[in-house]
Amino acid sequence: MYRSNTCGELRLSDASKQVTLAGWVQTVRKFGAITFVDLRDRYGITQLLFGEDLNKQLEENPLGREFVLQATGTVQERTNKNPQIPTGDIEIIITSFKVLNKSAVPPFTIQDETDGGDDLRMKYRFLDLRRNAVKKNLELRYSVNRAARNYLHSNGFIDIETPFLIKSTPEGARDFVVPSRMNPGQFYALPQSPQTFKQLLMVSGYDRYYQIVKCFRDEDLRADRQPEFTQIDCEMCFVEQEDILSMFEGMVKSIFKEVKNIDYTETVQRMTWEDAMWQYGNDKPDIRFGMSLLNLKKPSSVYVNKEDQAALVNGADFKVFDEAETVLAIAVPGCSEYSRKQTDELTEWVKRPQIGMKGLVFIKANTDGTYKSSVDKFYSEEKLKAIADAAGAQKGDLVLILAGNEERTRKAISELRLEMGKRLGLRKDNEYKLLWVLDFPLFEYDEEGNRWVARHHPFTSPKPSDIDTMISNNPAISNAAEYLKHPYANIKANAYDMVLNGNEIGGGSIRIYQRELQEKMFEALGMDKEEQQHKFGFLLGAFEYGAPPHGGIAFGFDRLCSILGGSESIRDFIAFPKNNSGRDVMIDAPATIDQKQFDELQIKLDLK
Amino acid sequence: MYRSNTCGELRLSDASKQVTLAGWVQTVRKFGAITFVDLRDRYGITQLLFGEDLNKQLEENPLGREFVLQATGTVQERTNKNPQIPTGDIEIIITSFKVLNKSAVPPFTIQDETDGGDDLRMKYRFLDLRRNAVKKNLELRYSVNRAARNYLHSNGFIDIETPFLIKSTPEGARDFVVPSRMNPGQFYALPQSPQTFKQLLMVSGYDRYYQIVKCFRDEDLRADRQPEFTQIDCEMCFVEQEDILSMFEGMVKSIFKEVKNIDYTETVQRMTWEDAMWQYGNDKPDIRFGMSLLNLKKPSSVYVNKEDQAALVNGADFKVFDEAETVLAIAVPGCSEYSRKQTDELTEWVKRPQIGMKGLVFIKANTDGTYKSSVDKFYSEEKLKAIADAAGAQKGDLVLILAGNEERTRKAISELRLEMGKRLGLRKDNEYKLLWVLDFPLFEYDEEGNRWVARHHPFTSPKPSDIDTMISNNPAISNAAEYLKHPYANIKANAYDMVLNGNEIGGGSIRIYQRELQEKMFEALGMDKEEQQHKFGFLLGAFEYGAPPHGGIAFGFDRLCSILGGSESIRDFIAFPKNNSGRDVMIDAPATIDQKQFDELQIKLDLK
């Protein structure tokens, strides 16, 4: 044993104890004949005091930053206490010490605010991980892991490991594949999720399954995606949507309590996918603030059950609105006194390529009760007031209006809403708002293949009331232009997403458990019988032997941790992340392999 | 919600309650106008009683084995109680029911003793998993998982996930590799263990790390090996061997208590590798029984510190012993009255190719005090008595002697000892004996390369007293014939294996943490500086920035579960295992992949 205590545990009550500590040298400060060393380990920092008697030895063994030191001495009360740290009342008068290992000068400072850039820190990730800021993230990750497990355990879930070497069934994302040496010419795939296996476990009667498990997707990495990521993966038997929602909002609340000591007592809000899109332009709205959308104009083919307020803008001869598919507005609180410069800046903001709008219309609901707009020419003050009122604007608010193509405009107003929420401080770091988004469309239309694709995945069941529609109709789309009129376009999924502060943290569905319906689904996705059998024969087979109703959910564990840790980047919560090219720059992987490995695997390169 | 209760929870105290159950039909028994159904779920079995009023409906919806049924009714006391099951005091008088899903007739019976062969059960693993025998194994696995986590958590360990897509550094077993689409021509490897990453976490100061994690080895699968397997992987900072031994025998004892309710209070025995080989012919001896070896003769070049009893056999002109490198004996209790047929059978047993001996010599220590032997011609009764006494034989015992080449003979006597232990019932299922095996040789000699290979792995440190020997000598072996005289041959590793009932369940070591020593190790293994840098540059680099002393251990989780579950096969404790060709016969993986996947990965087949 190299130590009697850690660097985080000694207190005034330990005064006069003989102790041995081991850790890393954080700082060395010489004051005349005496030397102070802050010694650091995972648990904290303790001040060591080297007296004059150790000077000779210190000269022979000079200490430097990040040296590994073992030191023995007596705990004593400090004259100059440090209330910032738990050990700040004491120091250790060192009687003997040993340098266990030296350190080169680190390429960046091991501090919360380091001078190291991202690339350097990733290359020396083992040093970056020493920083308190990073350590806190990984500790938080562990406490989320622990809280989730404890909740699931106490609710009767059991952790069952599913295989990593499975079969490639590309549908949705791309698989990573693994050549099989023992079966030349054949490949395993790494799982994108344990989806089919957890369903089989339900068929096997395991009733409540969970796993905190690595999953793999070979996608071009957008910022903040990782080729390997972790899911809290769960499945339950004999459940309906309501059972899943209550079980898993319970889990997230329990994590809030355990990890952040937050009592999330309020009811978790619920919203249909259609309402989310209609009111927020987004299927994962941040509901920490209002500013919901006024739908001034919508295309006739979508949101057929919703009514727009076209009367407010029509008939004014304002071409921009008249020619637009969609006109959407939000009322931004307290911004009616924005200067020309400020509204110009907002106009530039929506014209950036990432947003892609042609311009921005505004109405100022002035505090004096007057209304001013960038489209005064077309709309009387009375009409402006009517629009502003419809948008929910109060005196002093600024109404922002975007017009254009439905998909882009809805996305743009959502982005603008989030941006204004951020600028106005309405998206508070320490506020957490959960939301269930429900009733997604089961299918999306794939223009290229003129066929349906599963919005969630091919195992998601339709709403019970839509099963007949699905079974009794031919999924083929005869008239591509009118795909929205196909009965499948209106089938709703028995699916749910959990949204936290505008981030999707989990998603799942009640699954199909009848062979006939599953075959119909595969057929809708353009899979013929042979392909169905090749890829999913085992699942279709399993459904013939007493498959129970079941459903589940998977949480993005990395994302959940990053939100709870108050960060935008999941990378900060992964011990050894990969960069945007999928590289681990520390170990320098991926890398070339030996010819012997190619020979054994019976593959060769075919570089273009 | 499909049910008010599970099939395992209703008791007499629930009588007259209205309940709804859901589960699988285990059996259907008709008695005249009434029908009994045993309904099964994960939690148990409950008897349902369908009265005459439901006959019509039962005729329309006949129930079959493994049908999924939802049924509502009233709990009542049974007239004919079944004390075998916890719900045996009650039954449910059904008032309404619904078949949730039908089942085809299963290809084998869903019973503890099934009529399904191994291949069939693996193909329909989702049905096999329904059997109580298999379910119990997976439940036991989860409870071991849970007990390990709880122990480690309460001892300050934190679970940190290490990456699965890493770099291929073949040394020891073969890596599975994963072509990188984003980095054409380059490959990831799947980890054989998180070894280097957990060491980096120690360099980063995480102090106590654990993970229950999948590992991968592309080996030709001997019986009971799996290409993917699970480890309880742990590492600690600032520790010596003693700290690790006490921490992890604590863990295993805690698992015994939690999972089996066994108080393992006795001290865990320890044995050096040399003693284990000398006394049991095996580095993982089963110490539930004695029958330790009498070393009658050993080669002069090995076990140089041990003395054999050659005087007892030499000078008798018995060529078999005289010409043998090694002569080893065990005393089998109570078998002196074995018939000729029995001793012949034992002789045949050791002559089988798996054992490979030429013959077997025996001495009967008869109950009347006389001694009879198959080599009476060469040894007087007095000499036979001396040998039998040295072997520890009591009156009534049978001494079995093998002679031949050192390696084969030692292995053979160990196998014979285990076989006799089994035949005599000395290896009791419900007895658990832990053992630490210590002080392994650091190196093994590799004849083919005329170089050293790491017995454990290249990160294991030598005993502190052997570090100088390692640093100050040239690892190159100039005289292959005399490799045993090389100073490296006697270097002992700071390594330890935990053995349970003759199975290695865990192994680990104190690691090298000094760059110079690590480089020397790589050099001994035949790696030049360039290869060292290419493969392990990150680790050597990390050792320059304040690497602390550290060490760890990994437990074979599958094996540990199988022993605690009383089975010889790890496959029984894996939900979806692969067969000996590395195939998952249920999902039929590995499989071919699409041309598009080859194109994207820029590889092609190169079948021989």
Side-chain angles (χ1 to χ4, degrees):
Chain A
M1 189 63 93
Y2 280 84
R3 63 191 174 195
S4 62
N5 295 83
T6 72
C7 297
E9 63 180 320
L10 294 170
R11 300 286 183 275
L12 205 48
S13 55
D14 297 303
S16 83
K17 270 192 197 151
Q18 277 279 326
V19 298
T20 300
L21 302 186
W24 286 263
V25 172
Q26 177 83 11
T27 57
V28 181
R29 302 184 310 277
K30 263 188 90 73
F31 288 101
I34 60 172
T35 303
F36 289 103
V37 169
D38 276 353
L39 195 70
R40 186 195 72 231
D41 68 10
R42 175 179 133 197
Y43 310 96
I45 285 183
T46 298
Q47 178 167 294
L48 313 182
L49 192 163
F50 294 73
E52 209 173 341
D53 53 317
L54 293 172
N55 271 347
K56 186 156 170 279
Q57 212 186 324
L58 277 177
E59 272 160 32
E60 281 162 8
N61 295 286
L63 301 176
R65 262 167 55 204
E66 302 305 318
F67 276 40
V68 184
L69 186 69
Q70 182 186 36
T72 298
T74 312
V75 183
Q76 80 167 13
E77 184 170 4
R78 272 206 225 180
T79 47
N80 196 357
K81 297 197 174 59
N82 178 353
Q84 307 290 327
I85 58 171
T87 62
D89 287 350
I90 57 100
E91 62 195 354
I92 318 292
I93 312 298
I94 300 303
T95 49
S96 69
F97 72 94
K98 188 177 169 190
V99 172
L100 297 173
N101 216 343
K102 292 182 179 180
S103 174
V105 176
F108 51 84
T109 56
I110 311 293
Q111 308 270 349
D112 279 11
E113 297 297 324
T114 179
D115 55 358
D118 202 50
D119 289 350
L120 198 62
R121 289 192 293 107
M122 284 303 139
K123 177 149 194 239
Y124 294 91
R125 183 63 168 170
F126 51 89
L127 294 178
D128 195 35
L129 287 169
R130 284 187 190 163
R131 296 192 305 119
N132 204 37
V134 183
K135 195 187 70 172
K136 271 188 180 161
N137 292 348
L138 295 188
E139 287 176 344
L140 178 132
R141 186 181 176 106
Y142 178 50
S143 67
V144 177
N145 179 322
R146 187 87 191 147
R149 286 183 188 280
N150 285 344
Y151 178 85
L152 293 167
H153 178 77
S154 65
N155 280 284
F157 286 78
I158 88 169
D159 180 343
I160 300 176
E161 293 165 66
T162 52
F164 278 73
L165 296 172
I166 64 168
K167 186 155 82 170
S168 186
T169 55
E171 170 72 27
R174 214 181 271 110
D175 285 324
F176 281 105
V177 298
V178 182
S180 167
R181 183 183 53 86
M182 293 178 77
N183 302 276
Q186 301 193 331
F187 292 73
Y188 300 102
L190 299 179
Q192 296 185 27
S193 89
Q195 183 62 35
T196 48
F197 290 96
K198 67 176 175 174
Q199 290 192 243
L200 290 178
L201 288 172
M202 295 304 103
V203 174
S204 300
Y206 284 79
D207 211 80
R208 294 182 172 196
Y209 144 94
Y210 82 101
Q211 208 180 175
I212 299 185
V213 64
K214 274 281 173 78
C215 302
F216 304 86
R217 273 178 212 173
D218 183 14
E219 292 301 298
D220 298 316
L221 302 175
R222 287 182 288 160
D224 220 29
R225 283 269 189 121
Q226 289 280 319
E228 50 176 308
F229 56 97
T230 306
Q231 275 184 194
I232 307 176
D233 193 53
C234 308
E235 198 80 4
M236 301 171 79
C237 259
F238 299 118
V239 287
E240 288 156 335
Q241 175 172 295
E242 196 57 41
D243 304 312
I244 303 260
L245 301 191
S246 82
M247 178 62 74
F248 290 97
E249 60 190 55
M251 184 182 88
V252 175
K253 286 177 177 181
S254 166
I255 291 172
F256 277 136
K257 181 65 187 170
E258 293 297 317
V259 176
K260 310 280 294 181
N261 198 26
I262 291 172
D263 290 298
Y264 196 104
T265 50
E266 64 187 292
T267 304
V268 175
Q269 288 189 50
R270 298 178 183 192
M271 197 179 285
T272 64
W273 174 83
E274 200 165 77
D275 283 345
M277 293 303 290
W278 183 257
Q279 291 172 30
Y280 298 94
N282 194 319
D283 62 4
K284 44 178 202 265
D286 185 343
I287 58 166
R288 280 176 296 181
F289 65 106
M291 242 191 260
S292 63
L293 314 191
L294 167 63
N295 283 263
L296 284 163
K297 198 176 159 189
K298 61 150 197 172
S300 58
S301 57
V302 290
Y303 306 109
V304 289
N305 302 316
K306 301 285 188 186
E307 288 200 9
D308 64 24
Q309 308 263 356
L312 293 174
V313 289
N314 281 349
D317 255 355
F318 181 43
K319 265 189 157 178
V320 172
F321 287 177
D322 290 350
E323 289 173 3
E325 215 181 6
T326 298
V327 180
L328 297 165
I330 53 173
V332 183
C335 293
S336 70
E337 302 200 357
Y338 262 28
S339 66
R340 174 68 185 262
K341 197 178 150 196
Q342 284 174 299
T343 53
D344 282 356
E345 187 272 332
L346 281 182
T347 306
E348 287 313 306
W349 194 90
V350 301
K351 286 164 88 173
R352 294 178 318 146
Q354 302 95 307
I355 306 296
M357 299 308 294
K358 295 219 174 96
L360 174 73
V361 169
F362 64 82
I363 302 172
K364 292 177 170 176
N366 295 320
T367 47
D368 62 5
T370 63
Y371 291 83
K372 287 295 276 181
S373 168
S374 54
V375 290
D376 284 350
K377 262 195 286 190
F378 301 97
Y379 295 98
S380 64
E381 194 162 355
E382 192 182 350
K383 284 199 164 168
L384 293 176
K385 179 177 186 316
I387 296 171
D389 285 351
Q394 307 290 310
K395 277 182 190 173
D397 291 357
L398 175 69
V399 178
L400 301 177
I401 310 175
L402 295 176
N405 148 290
E406 160 65 23
E407 201 177 324
R408 181 183 303 161
T409 308
R410 198 164 288 276
K411 189 163 184 302
I413 197 88
S414 167
E415 295 291 332
L416 182 61
R417 172 181 173 271
L418 290 170
E419 174 70 15
M420 295 313 294
K422 192 168 140 195
R423 290 188 187 186
L424 298 176
L426 302 173
R427 304 176 70 185
K428 298 197 190 80
D429 274 351
N430 55 359
E431 188 183 358
Y432 296 94
K433 282 274 191 188
L434 291 167
L435 172 72
W436 285 112
V437 178
L438 306 170
D439 301 352
F440 289 83
L442 184 61
F443 295 105
E444 278 175 349
Y445 177 65
D446 172 43
E447 216 163 331
E448 200 183 324
N450 187 38
R451 65 169 178 96
W452 303 107
V453 293
R455 196 189 163 84
H456 188 58
H457 58 47
F459 313 106
T460 296
S461 70
K463 290 274 166 203
S465 55
D466 287 335
I467 291 179
D468 268 355
T469 308
M470 190 159 153
I471 293 279
S472 57
N473 284 284
N474 182 346
I477 301 156
S478 49
N479 183 348
E482 299 213 313
Y483 77 90
L484 278 168
K485 293 191 179 156
H486 192 287
Y488 274 35
N490 287 316
I491 294 178
K492 293 282 186 280
N494 222 338
Y496 29 80
D497 276 0
M498 184 176 256
V499 174
L500 173 58
N501 293 359
N503 300 280
E504 182 203 324
I505 57 168
S509 62
I510 301 297
R511 323 299 184 185
I512 296 171
Y513 65 101
Q514 311 93 330
R515 179 169 181 141
E516 184 189 10
L517 191 57
Q518 187 66 67
E519 286 177 333
K520 195 79 184 184
M521 169 59 88
F522 288 144
E523 187 193 338
L525 306 182
M527 254 186 249
D528 63 23
K529 290 275 174 201
E530 194 188 350
E531 190 182 352
Q532 293 179 25
Q533 198 53 40
H534 174 68
K535 287 185 174 171
F536 298 109
F538 63 97
L539 188 70
L540 292 171
F543 286 174
E544 301 216 41
Y545 291 97
H550 62 286
I553 194 167
F555 287 84
F557 184 57
D558 309 292
R559 171 69 55 210
L560 178 59
C561 293
S562 82
I563 299 171
L564 293 175
S567 164
E568 304 229 320
S569 165
I570 63 170
R571 229 191 268 184
D572 296 343
F573 291 79
I574 296 173
F576 299 102
K578 294 193 172 53
N579 73 9
N580 283 347
S581 318
R583 294 200 72 79
D584 181 326
V585 295
M586 180 187 70
I587 64 169
D588 196 24
T592 54
I593 56 173
D594 299 341
Q595 187 54 45
K596 188 179 169 213
Q597 292 175 288
F598 283 110
D599 292 344
E600 288 184 333
L601 296 172
Q602 304 190 33
I603 58 167
K604 59 183 177 185
L605 293 181
D606 185 26
L607 298 177
K608 311 297 189 241
Chain B
M1 189 63 94
Y2 281 84
R3 62 190 175 196
S4 63
N5 294 83
T6 71
C7 296
E9 63 181 321
L10 294 169
R11 300 286 182 276
L12 205 48
S13 55
D14 297 303
S16 85
K17 271 190 196 153
Q18 277 280 325
V19 298
T20 300
L21 303 186
W24 287 262
V25 172
Q26 178 82 13
T27 56
V28 180
R29 303 184 309 278
K30 264 188 90 75
F31 288 100
I34 61 172
T35 304
F36 290 103
V37 168
D38 276 352
L39 195 69
R40 185 193 73 230
D41 67 9
R42 175 179 134 197
Y43 311 96
I45 286 183
T46 298
Q47 178 168 294
L48 313 182
L49 192 162
F50 293 74
E52 208 172 342
D53 52 318
L54 293 172
N55 271 347
K56 184 154 172 281
Q57 212 187 325
L58 277 177
E59 272 159 34
E60 282 162 9
N61 295 285
L63 301 176
R65 261 168 57 203
E66 302 306 318
F67 275 39
V68 185
L69 185 69
Q70 182 186 36
T72 298
T74 310
V75 182
Q76 80 167 12
E77 184 169 2
R78 272 207 227 181
T79 46
N80 196 358
K81 295 198 175 59
N82 178 354
Q84 308 289 328
I85 58 171
T87 62
D89 287 351
I90 57 100
E91 62 195 354
I92 318 291
I93 311 298
I94 300 304
T95 50
S96 68
F97 72 94
K98 189 178 169 189
V99 172
L100 297 173
N101 216 344
K102 293 183 179 180
S103 174
V105 176
F108 49 87
T109 55
I110 312 293
Q111 308 269 348
D112 279 11
E113 299 297 324
T114 178
D115 55 358
D118 203 49
D119 290 349
L120 197 62
R121 289 191 295 106
M122 285 303 139
K123 176 147 196 240
Y124 294 90
R125 182 64 168 169
F126 51 88
L127 294 179
D128 195 33
L129 286 169
R130 282 186 193 164
R131 294 193 305 120
N132 205 36
V134 183
K135 194 187 72 171
K136 270 189 182 160
N137 291 348
L138 294 188
E139 287 176 342
L140 178 132
R141 185 179 176 107
Y142 177 50
S143 67
V144 176
N145 180 323
R146 186 86 191 149
R149 284 183 189 279
N150 285 344
Y151 178 85
L152 293 166
H153 179 77
S154 65
N155 280 283
F157 286 77
I158 88 170
D159 179 343
I160 300 176
E161 292 165 66
T162 52
F164 278 72
L165 296 172
I166 64 168
K167 187 155 81 171
S168 184
T169 55
E171 170 71 27
R174 215 181 273 108
D175 286 324
F176 281 105
V177 298
V178 182
S180 167
R181 183 184 52 85
M182 293 178 79
N183 303 274
Q186 303 193 330
F187 293 74
Y188 300 101
L190 300 179
Q192 296 186 25
S193 90
Q195 184 61 33
T196 50
F197 289 96
K198 69 176 174 173
Q199 290 193 244
L200 289 178
L201 288 171
M202 295 303 104
V203 174
S204 301
Y206 283 80
D207 212 81
R208 294 180 171 197
Y209 144 95
Y210 81 99
Q211 211 181 171
I212 299 185
V213 64
K214 274 281 174 78
C215 301
F216 304 86
R217 273 178 213 172
D218 183 13
E219 292 300 298
D220 297 318
L221 302 175
R222 287 181 288 161
D224 219 28
R225 283 268 188 122
Q226 289 281 317
E228 49 175 307
F229 55 97
T230 305
Q231 277 185 192
I232 308 176
D233 193 53
C234 306
E235 197 80 3
M236 301 172 79
C237 258
F238 299 120
V239 287
E240 288 155 337
Q241 176 174 293
E242 196 56 41
D243 305 312
I244 303 260
L245 301 192
S246 82
M247 178 63 73
F248 290 97
E249 60 190 55
M251 184 182 87
V252 175
K253 286 177 177 181
S254 166
I255 291 171
F256 277 136
K257 181 64 187 168
E258 294 296 317
V259 176
K260 308 282 293 183
N261 198 27
I262 290 173
D263 289 298
Y264 196 103
T265 50
E266 64 185 293
T267 305
V268 176
Q269 287 189 50
R270 297 178 184 193
M271 197 179 285
T272 65
W273 174 82
E274 201 167 76
D275 283 346
M277 294 303 290
W278 184 256
Q279 291 173 31
Y280 297 95
N282 194 317
D283 62 4
K284 43 177 202 267
D286 185 344
I287 56 166
R288 280 176 297 182
F289 65 106
M291 245 191 260
S292 63
L293 314 192
L294 168 62
N295 282 263
L296 285 165
K297 197 174 159 191
K298 61 152 195 173
S300 58
S301 57
V302 291
Y303 306 109
V304 288
N305 302 314
K306 302 283 188 190
E307 288 200 10
D308 64 24
Q309 308 262 357
L312 294 175
V313 289
N314 281 349
D317 256 353
F318 181 44
K319 264 191 161 179
V320 173
F321 287 178
D322 290 351
E323 288 173 4
E325 215 180 7
T326 298
V327 180
L328 296 166
I330 52 172
V332 184
C335 294
S336 68
E337 302 199 358
Y338 263 28
S339 66
R340 174 67 184 263
K341 195 176 154 201
Q342 284 175 299
T343 55
D344 281 355
E345 187 273 332
L346 281 183
T347 306
E348 288 312 307
W349 193 90
V350 303
K351 286 164 88 172
R352 294 179 316 147
Q354 302 96 305
I355 305 295
M357 299 307 295
K358 296 218 175 98
L360 174 73
V361 169
F362 63 83
I363 303 171
K364 292 178 169 176
N366 294 320
T367 46
D368 62 6
T370 62
Y371 292 83
K372 287 295 276 180
S373 170
S374 54
V375 289
D376 283 349
K377 262 196 283 189
F378 301 97
Y379 295 99
S380 65
E381 194 162 357
E382 190 182 352
K383 283 199 166 171
L384 293 176
K385 177 179 190 311
I387 295 170
D389 285 352
Q394 308 289 313
K395 278 182 189 172
D397 291 357
L398 175 70
V399 178
L400 301 176
I401 310 177
L402 295 176
N405 148 288
E406 160 66 22
E407 202 177 321
R408 181 183 302 160
T409 308
R410 197 163 289 276
K411 190 162 183 301
I413 196 89
S414 166
E415 295 291 332
L416 182 61
R417 172 181 173 270
L418 291 171
E419 175 69 16
M420 296 313 295
K422 192 169 139 193
R423 290 188 188 186
L424 299 175
L426 303 173
R427 304 177 71 183
K428 297 196 190 79
D429 273 350
N430 55 358
E431 187 183 358
Y432 295 94
K433 282 273 191 189
L434 291 167
L435 171 72
W436 285 112
V437 177
L438 307 170
D439 301 352
F440 289 84
L442 184 62
F443 295 105
E444 277 174 349
Y445 177 65
D446 172 42
E447 216 163 332
E448 200 184 324
N450 187 37
R451 64 167 179 97
W452 303 106
V453 293
R455 197 191 160 83
H456 188 59
H457 57 48
F459 313 106
T460 295
S461 70
K463 290 273 167 204
S465 56
D466 286 336
I467 291 179
D468 268 355
T469 309
M470 188 159 155
I471 293 281
S472 57
N473 285 284
N474 182 346
I477 301 157
S478 49
N479 183 346
E482 301 214 310
Y483 77 89
L484 278 168
K485 292 191 179 157
H486 190 289
Y488 273 36
N490 288 316
I491 294 179
K492 293 281 187 282
N494 221 339
Y496 30 79
D497 275 1
M498 185 176 256
V499 174
L500 174 58
N501 292 0
N503 300 279
E504 182 203 325
I505 57 166
S509 62
I510 301 297
R511 321 300 183 186
I512 297 171
Y513 65 100
Q514 310 93 329
R515 178 169 183 142
E516 185 189 9
L517 191 58
Q518 187 66 66
E519 286 177 334
K520 196 80 184 185
M521 169 59 88
F522 288 145
E523 188 192 336
L525 306 182
M527 253 187 250
D528 63 23
K529 292 275 175 201
E530 197 188 349
E531 192 182 351
Q532 293 179 25
Q533 198 53 40
H534 174 70
K535 287 185 174 169
F536 298 109
F538 63 97
L539 188 68
L540 293 171
F543 285 174
E544 300 217 41
Y545 291 97
H550 62 286
I553 194 166
F555 287 84
F557 184 57
D558 309 291
R559 171 70 55 211
L560 177 60
C561 293
S562 81
I563 298 171
L564 293 175
S567 164
E568 304 229 321
S569 164
I570 63 170
R571 228 191 269 183
D572 296 343
F573 292 79
I574 296 174
F576 300 101
K578 295 193 171 53
N579 73 9
N580 283 346
S581 318
R583 294 200 72 81
D584 182 325
V585 295
M586 179 187 70
I587 64 170
D588 195 24
T592 53
I593 57 172
D594 299 342
Q595 187 55 44
K596 188 177 169 215
Q597 291 175 290
F598 283 110
D599 292 343
E600 287 184 332
L601 296 171
Q602 303 190 33
I603 59 169
K604 59 183 177 184
L605 293 181
D606 184 25
L607 298 177
K608 312 295 188 242

